[in-house]
């Protein structure tokens, strides 16, 4: 029984890997509006019904692939100072998310109409900020409220990227961080 | 020549109206993942190529329809006091945008991957806030920075709706407005 479970987990993970690979390969050669579930299924070597059962529809699948790209690959940079750590994080984040690829990932995640992709996506941001806060406290700094940092720093940067009303420049990012520590 | 232009404008507006009506009718009876461009074209009585030429693809068309629903239908409520006007606006906005229909509109607008829909959508918010600011100044109140109101009040509310990490309750909305006037 335990072995069965492990084998099933393995197969499930393997399907996910093949399907993600297929989506990424298709996105390299085609416009996303041309991609269909049967196309992904054929390339991944699974049936379309496997995809529908697991992901619901194409937009959920694209969101899942986008979230996988958002997963941070390492610890946030340690600059030795809390405010500077947050600045470094948000300047990089704004740069990445306002790139063509970043915008497309956000569109895929939000365009899926909610569900686990959006929660996972901002979960990465919370984790990242929590790491910075723990690090600050360990250094003997005062620390900061992660919720406040999301409201004052992250949310406006993401808003301007999504609605394209204003460039989230490095200077703008640093102004937001200053505002976080203004009380 | 001028007449030609006017007739073309009329035809163009008529096509837009029929296409929007077709999309709205389809959205009432079907899941949006089932809707296709040929389906909309047939119901609207136009060719699919008309739709592709005018809207690019289905996601752009859905975004255009969503923005049409976002267009405000009247002036913002006048409560006689600047801070209260902003509170009233943001509490209503948060309630509307976090409803099922509101979330779907945001997903359609942002999922289209940028372009005119996102700019138009936040343009309505800026206009609304500018109206509140002019009204405050006309009353002899100090007025407020519309950019600040977007950063401090609107952006966090929209962030929490999109990423589903936190409920934008009326109390939360009022806290954000208080923060705007805290200096």
């Amino acid at each position: 029984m335990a072995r069965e479970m492990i084998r099933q987990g393995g197969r499930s993970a393997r399907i996910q890997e093949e399907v993600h690979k297929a989506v990424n390969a298709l996105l390299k050669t085609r416009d996303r509006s041309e991609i269909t579930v049967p196309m992904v299924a054929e390339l991944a070597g699974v049936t379309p019904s496997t995809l529908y059962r697991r992901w619901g529809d194409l937009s959920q699948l694209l969101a899942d692939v986008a979230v996988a790209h958002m997963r941070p690959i390492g610890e946030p940079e340690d600059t030795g100072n809390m405010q500077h750590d947050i600045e470094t994080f948000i300047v990089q984040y704004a740069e990445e998310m306002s790139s063509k690829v970043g915008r497309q990932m956000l569109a895929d995640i939000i365009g899926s109409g909610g569900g686990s992709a959006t929660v996972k996506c901002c979960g990465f941001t919370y984790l990242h900020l929590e790491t910075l806060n723990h690090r600050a406290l360990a250094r003997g700094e005062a620390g900061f409220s992660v919720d406040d940092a999301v409201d004052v720093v992250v949310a406006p940067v993401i808003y301007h990227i999504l609605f394209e009303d204003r460039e989230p420049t490095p200077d703008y990012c640093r102004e937001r961080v200053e505002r976080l520590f203004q009380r």
Side-chain angles (χ1 to χ4, degrees), chain A residues 31-103:
Chain A
D31 191 77
R32 69 199 321 94
S33 64
E34 294 168 357
I35 296 176
T36 63
V37 166
M39 220 182 257
V40 175
E42 200 194 330
L43 194 60
V46 299
T47 62
S49 60
T50 301
L51 298 193
Y52 288 119
R53 201 161 46 235
R54 180 133 171 189
W55 281 279
D57 62 28
L58 183 65
S59 71
Q60 303 287 330
L61 172 56
L62 290 174
D64 193 39
V65 172
V67 166
H69 288 294
M70 289 243 180
R71 194 178 292 278
I73 43 173
E75 288 286 294
E77 195 178 331
D78 186 346
T79 69
N81 167 278
M82 173 174 71
Q83 182 157 348
H84 199 214
D85 274 1
I86 303 175
E87 278 176 14
T88 304
F89 157 66
I90 195 66
V91 168
Q92 276 181 19
Y93 187 72
E95 195 190 304
E96 285 170 23
M97 291 299 108
S98 61
S99 69
K100 194 163 173 270
V101 172
R103 285 174 189 279

Coordinates of all heavy atoms in Angstrom, one line a residue, chain A residues 31-103:
Chain A
D31 N 2.2 31.7 -30.4 CA 1.5 32.7 -29.6 C 0.6 32.0 -28.6 O 0.0 30.9 -29.0 CB 0.7 33.6 -30.5 CG 0.1 34.8 -29.8 OD1 0.9 35.7 -29.5 OD2 -1.1 34.8 -29.4
R32 N 0.4 32.4 -27.4 CA -0.3 31.7 -26.4 C -1.8 31.5 -26.8 O -2.4 30.6 -26.4 CB -0.2 32.2 -25.0 CG -0.9 33.6 -24.8 CD -0.4 34.3 -23.6 NE -0.1 33.5 -22.5 CZ 1.1 33.0 -22.2 NH1 2.1 33.2 -22.9 NH2 1.2 32.3 -21.1
S33 N -2.3 32.5 -27.6 CA -3.7 32.4 -28.0 C -3.9 31.2 -28.9 O -5.1 30.8 -29.2 CB -4.2 33.7 -28.6 OG -3.5 33.9 -29.8
E34 N -2.8 30.6 -29.5 CA -3.0 29.5 -30.4 C -2.9 28.1 -29.7 O -3.2 27.1 -30.3 CB -1.8 29.5 -31.5 CG -1.9 30.7 -32.4 CD -0.6 30.8 -33.2 OE1 0.3 29.9 -32.9 OE2 -0.5 31.6 -34.1
I35 N -2.4 28.2 -28.4 CA -2.2 26.9 -27.7 C -3.6 26.3 -27.2 O -4.4 27.1 -26.8 CB -1.3 27.2 -26.5 CG1 0.1 27.6 -27.0 CG2 -1.2 25.9 -25.6 CD1 1.1 28.0 -26.0
T36 N -3.7 25.0 -27.4 CA -5.0 24.3 -27.0 C -4.6 23.2 -26.1 O -3.4 22.7 -26.1 CB -5.7 23.8 -28.2 OG1 -4.9 22.8 -28.8 CG2 -6.1 24.9 -29.2
V37 N -5.6 22.7 -25.3 CA -5.3 21.5 -24.5 C -4.9 20.3 -25.3 O -3.9 19.6 -24.9 CB -6.6 21.3 -23.6 CG1 -6.5 19.9 -22.9 CG2 -6.7 22.3 -22.5
P38 N -5.6 20.0 -26.4 CA -5.2 18.8 -27.2 C -3.7 18.9 -27.7 O -3.0 17.9 -27.7 CB -6.1 18.8 -28.4 CG -7.4 19.5 -27.9 CD -6.9 20.5 -26.9
M39 N -3.3 20.1 -28.0 CA -1.9 20.3 -28.4 C -0.9 20.0 -27.3 O 0.1 19.3 -27.5 CB -1.8 21.8 -28.8 CG -1.0 22.2 -30.0 SD -1.1 24.0 -30.0 CE -2.3 24.3 -31.3
V40 N -1.2 20.5 -26.1 CA -0.3 20.2 -25.0 C -0.3 18.7 -24.7 O 0.7 18.1 -24.5 CB -0.8 21.0 -23.7 CG1 0.0 20.6 -22.5 CG2 -0.8 22.5 -23.9
A41 N -1.5 18.1 -24.7 CA -1.6 16.7 -24.4 C -0.8 15.9 -25.4 O -0.1 15.0 -24.9 CB -3.1 16.3 -24.4
E42 N -0.9 16.2 -26.6 CA -0.2 15.4 -27.6 C 1.3 15.5 -27.4 O 2.0 14.5 -27.3 CB -0.5 15.9 -29.0 CG -0.2 14.8 -30.1 CD -0.2 15.4 -31.5 OE1 -0.9 16.3 -31.8 OE2 0.6 14.9 -32.3
L43 N 1.8 16.7 -27.2 CA 3.3 16.9 -27.0 C 3.7 16.2 -25.7 O 4.9 15.7 -25.6 CB 3.6 18.4 -27.0 CG 5.1 18.7 -27.1 CD1 5.7 18.2 -28.4 CD2 5.2 20.2 -27.0
A44 N 2.9 16.2 -24.6 CA 3.3 15.6 -23.4 C 3.1 14.1 -23.3 O 3.5 13.4 -22.4 CB 2.5 16.3 -22.2
G45 N 2.4 13.6 -24.3 CA 2.1 12.2 -24.4 C 1.1 11.7 -23.4 O 1.1 10.6 -22.8
V46 N 0.1 12.5 -23.1 CA -1.0 12.1 -22.2 C -2.3 12.4 -22.9 O -2.3 13.1 -24.0 CB -1.0 12.9 -20.9 CG1 0.3 12.6 -20.1 CG2 -1.2 14.4 -21.1
T47 N -3.5 12.0 -22.4 CA -4.7 12.3 -23.0 C -5.2 13.7 -22.6 O -4.9 14.1 -21.5 CB -5.8 11.3 -22.7 OG1 -6.0 11.3 -21.3 CG2 -5.3 9.8 -23.0
P48 N -6.0 14.3 -23.5 CA -6.6 15.6 -23.0 C -7.4 15.5 -21.7 O -7.4 16.4 -20.9 CB -7.5 16.0 -24.2 CG -6.9 15.3 -25.4 CD -6.3 14.0 -24.9
S49 N -8.1 14.3 -21.5 CA -8.9 14.2 -20.3 C -8.0 14.2 -19.1 O -8.5 14.6 -18.0 CB -9.8 13.0 -20.4 OG -9.1 11.8 -20.5
T50 N -6.8 13.7 -19.2 CA -5.9 13.8 -18.0 C -5.7 15.2 -17.6 O -5.7 15.6 -16.5 CB -4.5 13.1 -18.4 OG1 -4.7 11.8 -18.7 CG2 -3.5 13.2 -17.2
L51 N -5.5 16.1 -18.7 CA -5.2 17.5 -18.4 C -6.5 18.2 -17.8 O -6.4 18.9 -16.8 CB -4.8 18.2 -19.7 CG -3.5 17.8 -20.3 CD1 -3.1 18.8 -21.4 CD2 -2.4 17.6 -19.3
Y52 N -7.6 17.9 -18.4 CA -8.9 18.5 -17.9 C -9.1 18.1 -16.4 O -9.5 18.9 -15.6 CB -10.1 18.1 -18.7 CG -10.1 18.8 -20.1 CD1 -10.0 18.1 -21.3 CD2 -10.1 20.2 -20.2 CE1 -10.0 18.7 -22.5 CE2 -10.1 20.8 -21.4 CZ -10.0 20.1 -22.6 OH -10.0 20.7 -23.8
R53 N -8.9 16.8 -16.1 CA -9.1 16.2 -14.8 C -8.2 16.9 -13.8 O -8.6 17.3 -12.7 CB -8.9 14.7 -14.8 CG -9.5 14.0 -13.6 CD -9.7 12.5 -13.9 NE -8.4 11.9 -14.5 CZ -8.3 11.3 -15.6 NH1 -9.4 11.1 -16.4 NH2 -7.2 10.8 -16.0
R54 N -7.0 17.1 -14.2 CA -6.0 17.6 -13.2 C -6.0 19.1 -13.1 O -5.7 19.7 -12.1 CB -4.6 17.2 -13.7 CG -3.5 17.6 -12.8 CD -2.6 16.5 -12.5 NE -1.4 16.9 -11.8 CZ -0.4 16.1 -11.6 NH1 -0.5 14.9 -12.0 NH2 0.6 16.5 -11.0
W55 N -6.2 19.8 -14.3 CA -6.0 21.3 -14.2 C -7.4 22.1 -14.4 O -7.4 23.3 -14.3 CB -5.0 21.7 -15.2 CG -3.6 21.6 -14.8 CD1 -2.9 22.4 -13.9 CD2 -2.7 20.5 -15.0 NE1 -1.6 21.9 -13.7 CE2 -1.5 20.7 -14.4 CE3 -2.8 19.3 -15.8 CZ2 -0.4 19.9 -14.4 CZ3 -1.7 18.5 -15.9 CH2 -0.5 18.7 -15.2
G56 N -8.4 21.3 -14.8 CA -9.7 22.0 -15.1 C -9.8 22.6 -16.5 O -10.6 22.1 -17.2
D57 N -9.0 23.6 -16.8 CA -9.0 24.1 -18.2 C -7.6 24.7 -18.5 O -6.7 24.7 -17.6 CB -10.1 25.1 -18.4 CG -10.0 26.3 -17.5 OD1 -8.9 26.7 -17.1 OD2 -11.0 26.9 -17.2
L58 N -7.5 25.2 -19.7 CA -6.2 25.7 -20.2 C -5.7 26.9 -19.3 O -4.5 26.9 -19.0 CB -6.3 26.1 -21.6 CG -5.0 26.6 -22.3 CD1 -4.0 25.5 -22.4 CD2 -5.3 27.2 -23.7
S59 N -6.6 27.8 -18.9 CA -6.1 28.9 -18.1 C -5.5 28.5 -16.8 O -4.5 29.1 -16.3 CB -7.2 30.0 -18.0 OG -8.2 29.5 -17.1
Q60 N -6.1 27.5 -16.2 CA -5.6 27.0 -14.9 C -4.2 26.3 -15.1 O -3.3 26.5 -14.3 CB -6.5 25.9 -14.3 CG -7.9 26.4 -14.1 CD -8.1 27.3 -12.9 OE1 -7.3 27.2 -11.9 NE2 -9.0 28.2 -12.9
L61 N -4.1 25.6 -16.2 CA -2.8 25.0 -16.5 C -1.7 26.1 -16.8 O -0.6 26.0 -16.2 CB -3.0 24.1 -17.8 CG -1.7 23.5 -18.4 CD1 -0.9 22.7 -17.3 CD2 -2.0 22.6 -19.6
L62 N -2.0 27.1 -17.6 CA -1.1 28.2 -17.8 C -0.7 28.9 -16.5 O 0.5 29.2 -16.3 CB -1.6 29.2 -18.8 CG -1.8 28.7 -20.3 CD1 -2.4 29.7 -21.1 CD2 -0.4 28.3 -20.9
A63 N -1.6 29.0 -15.6 CA -1.4 29.6 -14.3 C -0.4 28.8 -13.5 O 0.5 29.3 -12.8 CB -2.7 29.9 -13.6
D64 N -0.6 27.5 -13.5 CA 0.2 26.5 -12.8 C 1.7 26.6 -13.3 O 2.6 26.6 -12.5 CB -0.4 25.1 -12.9 CG 0.2 24.1 -11.9 OD1 0.5 24.6 -10.8 OD2 0.5 23.0 -12.3
V65 N 1.8 26.6 -14.6 CA 3.1 26.7 -15.2 C 3.8 28.1 -14.8 O 5.0 28.1 -14.5 CB 3.1 26.6 -16.7 CG1 4.4 26.8 -17.4 CG2 2.6 25.2 -17.1
A66 N 3.0 29.1 -14.8 CA 3.6 30.5 -14.5 C 4.0 30.5 -13.0 O 5.1 31.0 -12.7 CB 2.5 31.6 -14.7
V67 N 3.2 29.9 -12.1 CA 3.6 29.9 -10.7 C 4.9 29.1 -10.5 O 5.8 29.5 -9.7 CB 2.5 29.3 -9.8 CG1 3.0 28.9 -8.4 CG2 1.3 30.2 -9.7
A68 N 5.1 28.0 -11.3 CA 6.3 27.2 -11.1 C 7.5 28.1 -11.5 O 8.6 28.0 -10.9 CB 6.3 26.0 -12.1
H69 N 7.4 29.0 -12.4 CA 8.5 29.9 -12.8 C 8.7 31.0 -11.7 O 9.8 31.6 -11.6 CB 8.2 30.6 -14.1 CG 8.3 29.8 -15.3 ND1 9.5 29.2 -15.7 CD2 7.4 29.3 -16.2 CE1 9.3 28.4 -16.8 NE2 8.0 28.5 -17.1
M70 N 7.7 31.3 -10.9 CA 7.8 32.3 -9.9 C 8.5 31.8 -8.7 O 9.0 32.6 -7.9 CB 6.4 32.8 -9.5 CG 5.7 33.6 -10.6 SD 5.4 35.2 -10.0 CE 4.5 35.9 -11.4
R71 N 8.5 30.5 -8.5 CA 9.1 30.0 -7.3 C 10.5 30.5 -7.1 O 11.3 30.3 -8.0 CB 9.1 28.4 -7.4 CG 9.3 27.7 -6.1 CD 9.2 26.2 -6.4 NE 7.9 25.8 -6.7 CZ 6.9 25.5 -5.8 NH1 7.2 25.6 -4.5 NH2 5.7 25.2 -6.2
P72 N 10.9 31.1 -6.0 CA 12.2 31.6 -5.8 C 13.3 30.5 -5.8 O 13.0 29.4 -5.4 CB 12.2 32.3 -4.5 CG 10.9 31.9 -3.8 CD 10.0 31.2 -4.8
I73 N 14.4 30.7 -6.4 CA 15.4 29.7 -6.5 C 16.4 29.8 -5.4 O 17.3 28.9 -5.2 CB 16.1 29.7 -7.9 CG1 16.4 31.1 -8.3 CG2 15.3 29.0 -8.9 CD1 17.3 31.1 -9.6
G74 N 16.4 30.8 -4.6 CA 17.4 30.9 -3.5 C 16.9 31.8 -2.4 O 15.8 32.4 -2.5
E75 N 17.7 32.0 -1.4 CA 17.5 33.0 -0.4 C 17.6 34.4 -0.9 O 18.4 34.7 -1.7 CB 18.5 32.8 0.8 CG 18.3 31.5 1.6 CD 17.0 31.6 2.5 OE1 17.1 32.4 3.4 OE2 16.1 30.9 2.2
P76 N 16.8 35.3 -0.3 CA 17.0 36.7 -0.7 C 18.4 37.2 -0.3 O 18.9 36.8 0.7 CB 15.9 37.5 0.0 CG 15.4 36.5 1.1 CD 15.7 35.1 0.6
E77 N 18.9 38.2 -1.0 CA 20.2 38.7 -0.8 C 20.3 39.4 0.6 O 19.4 40.0 1.0 CB 20.5 39.8 -1.9 CG 22.0 40.2 -1.9 CD 22.2 41.2 -3.1 OE1 21.5 41.2 -4.1 OE2 23.1 42.0 -2.9
D78 N 21.4 39.1 1.3 CA 21.7 39.7 2.6 C 22.7 40.9 2.5 O 23.8 40.7 2.2 CB 22.3 38.6 3.5 CG 22.4 39.1 4.9 OD1 22.3 40.3 5.2 OD2 22.6 38.3 5.8
T79 N 22.1 42.1 2.6 CA 23.0 43.3 2.4 C 23.5 43.8 3.8 O 24.2 44.8 3.8 CB 22.2 44.5 1.8 OG1 21.2 44.9 2.7 CG2 21.5 44.0 0.5
G80 N 23.1 43.2 4.9 CA 23.6 43.6 6.2 C 22.7 44.6 6.9 O 23.0 45.0 8.0
N81 N 21.7 45.0 6.2 CA 20.8 46.1 6.8 C 19.4 45.9 6.3 O 19.1 45.7 5.1 CB 21.3 47.5 6.3 CG 20.4 48.6 6.5 OD1 19.4 48.8 5.8 ND2 20.6 49.3 7.6
M82 N 18.4 46.0 7.3 CA 17.0 45.6 7.0 C 16.4 46.5 5.9 O 15.9 45.9 4.9 CB 16.2 45.8 8.3 CG 14.7 45.7 8.1 SD 13.8 45.8 9.7 CE 14.0 47.5 10.2
Q83 N 16.5 47.8 6.0 CA 15.9 48.6 5.0 C 16.5 48.4 3.6 O 15.8 48.3 2.6 CB 16.0 50.1 5.4 CG 15.4 51.1 4.4 CD 15.0 52.4 5.0 OE1 15.1 52.6 6.2 NE2 14.6 53.4 4.2
H84 N 17.8 48.2 3.6 CA 18.5 47.9 2.3 C 18.1 46.6 1.7 O 18.0 46.4 0.5 CB 20.0 48.1 2.5 CG 20.7 48.3 1.2 ND1 22.0 47.8 0.9 CD2 20.3 48.9 0.1 CE1 22.3 48.1 -0.3 NE2 21.3 48.8 -0.8
D85 N 17.9 45.6 2.6 CA 17.4 44.3 2.2 C 16.1 44.4 1.5 O 15.9 43.8 0.4 CB 17.2 43.3 3.4 CG 18.5 42.6 3.8 OD1 19.6 42.8 3.1 OD2 18.5 41.8 4.7
I86 N 15.2 45.2 2.1 CA 13.8 45.3 1.5 C 13.9 46.0 0.2 O 13.3 45.7 -0.8 CB 12.9 46.0 2.5 CG1 12.8 45.2 3.8 CG2 11.5 46.1 1.9 CD1 11.9 46.0 4.8
E87 N 14.8 47.1 0.1 CA 14.9 47.9 -1.1 C 15.5 46.9 -2.2 O 15.0 47.0 -3.4 CB 16.0 49.0 -0.9 CG 15.4 50.2 -0.3 CD 16.5 51.3 0.0 OE1 17.6 51.1 -0.5 OE2 16.2 52.2 0.7
T88 N 16.5 46.2 -1.9 CA 17.1 45.3 -2.9 C 16.1 44.3 -3.4 O 16.0 44.0 -4.6 CB 18.3 44.5 -2.2 OG1 19.2 45.5 -1.7 CG2 19.0 43.6 -3.3
F89 N 15.3 43.7 -2.5 CA 14.2 42.8 -2.9 C 13.2 43.5 -3.8 O 13.0 43.0 -4.9 CB 13.5 42.2 -1.7 CG 12.1 41.7 -2.0 CD1 12.0 40.6 -2.8 CD2 11.0 42.3 -1.5 CE1 10.7 40.1 -3.1 CE2 9.7 41.9 -1.8 CZ 9.6 40.8 -2.6
I90 N 12.7 44.6 -3.5 CA 11.6 45.2 -4.2 C 12.1 45.7 -5.6 O 11.4 45.7 -6.6 CB 10.8 46.2 -3.4 CG1 9.4 46.6 -4.1 CG2 11.6 47.5 -3.2 CD1 8.5 45.4 -4.2
V91 N 13.3 46.3 -5.6 CA 13.8 46.8 -6.9 C 14.0 45.6 -7.9 O 13.6 45.7 -9.1 CB 15.2 47.5 -6.7 CG1 15.8 47.8 -8.0 CG2 14.9 48.9 -5.9
Q92 N 14.5 44.5 -7.4 CA 14.6 43.3 -8.3 C 13.3 42.8 -8.7 O 13.1 42.4 -9.9 CB 15.4 42.2 -7.6 CG 16.9 42.3 -7.6 CD 17.6 41.1 -6.9 OE1 17.0 40.1 -6.7 NE2 18.8 41.3 -6.5
Y93 N 12.4 42.7 -7.7 CA 11.0 42.1 -8.0 C 10.3 43.0 -9.0 O 9.7 42.5 -10.0 CB 10.3 42.1 -6.6 CG 8.9 41.4 -6.7 CD1 8.8 40.1 -6.8 CD2 7.8 42.2 -6.6 CE1 7.6 39.4 -6.8 CE2 6.5 41.5 -6.6 CZ 6.5 40.2 -6.7 OH 5.2 39.6 -6.7
A94 N 10.4 44.3 -8.9 CA 9.7 45.2 -9.8 C 10.3 45.0 -11.2 O 9.6 45.0 -12.2 CB 9.9 46.7 -9.4
E95 N 11.6 44.9 -11.3 CA 12.3 44.7 -12.6 C 11.9 43.4 -13.2 O 11.5 43.4 -14.4 CB 13.8 44.7 -12.3 CG 14.6 44.9 -13.6 CD 16.1 44.7 -13.4 OE1 16.7 45.3 -12.5 OE2 16.6 43.8 -14.1
E96 N 11.9 42.3 -12.4 CA 11.5 41.0 -13.0 C 10.0 41.0 -13.4 O 9.7 40.5 -14.5 CB 11.7 39.9 -12.0 CG 13.2 39.6 -11.8 CD 13.4 38.7 -10.6 OE1 12.5 38.0 -10.2 OE2 14.6 38.7 -10.1
M97 N 9.1 41.5 -12.6 CA 7.7 41.4 -12.8 C 7.3 42.4 -13.9 O 6.2 42.2 -14.5 CB 6.9 41.7 -11.6 CG 7.0 40.6 -10.5 SD 6.4 39.0 -11.1 CE 7.9 38.1 -11.3
S98 N 8.0 43.5 -14.2 CA 7.6 44.4 -15.2 C 8.2 44.0 -16.6 O 8.0 44.7 -17.6 CB 7.9 45.8 -14.9 OG 9.3 46.0 -14.6
S99 N 9.1 43.0 -16.6 CA 9.6 42.5 -17.9 C 8.5 41.8 -18.7 O 7.4 41.5 -18.1 CB 10.7 41.5 -17.6 OG 10.2 40.3 -17.1
K100 N 8.7 41.6 -19.9 CA 7.7 41.0 -20.8 C 7.3 39.6 -20.2 O 6.1 39.3 -20.0 CB 8.2 40.8 -22.2 CG 7.1 40.5 -23.2 CD 7.6 40.7 -24.6 CE 6.5 40.2 -25.6 NZ 6.7 38.8 -26.0
V101 N 8.2 38.8 -19.8 CA 8.0 37.5 -19.2 C 7.2 37.6 -17.9 O 6.3 36.9 -17.6 CB 9.3 36.7 -19.0 CG1 9.1 35.4 -18.3 CG2 9.9 36.4 -20.4
G102 N 7.7 38.5 -17.0 CA 7.0 38.7 -15.8 C 5.6 39.1 -15.9 O 4.7 38.6 -15.2
R103 N 5.3 40.1 -16.8 CA 3.9 40.5 -17.1 C 3.1 39.4 -17.5 O 1.9 39.2 -17.2 CB 3.9 41.6 -18.1 CG 4.4 43.0 -17.6 CD 4.4 44.0 -18.8 NE 5.1 45.2 -18.3 CZ 4.5 46.1 -17.7 NH1 3.2 46.0 -17.4 NH2 5.2 47.2 -17.3

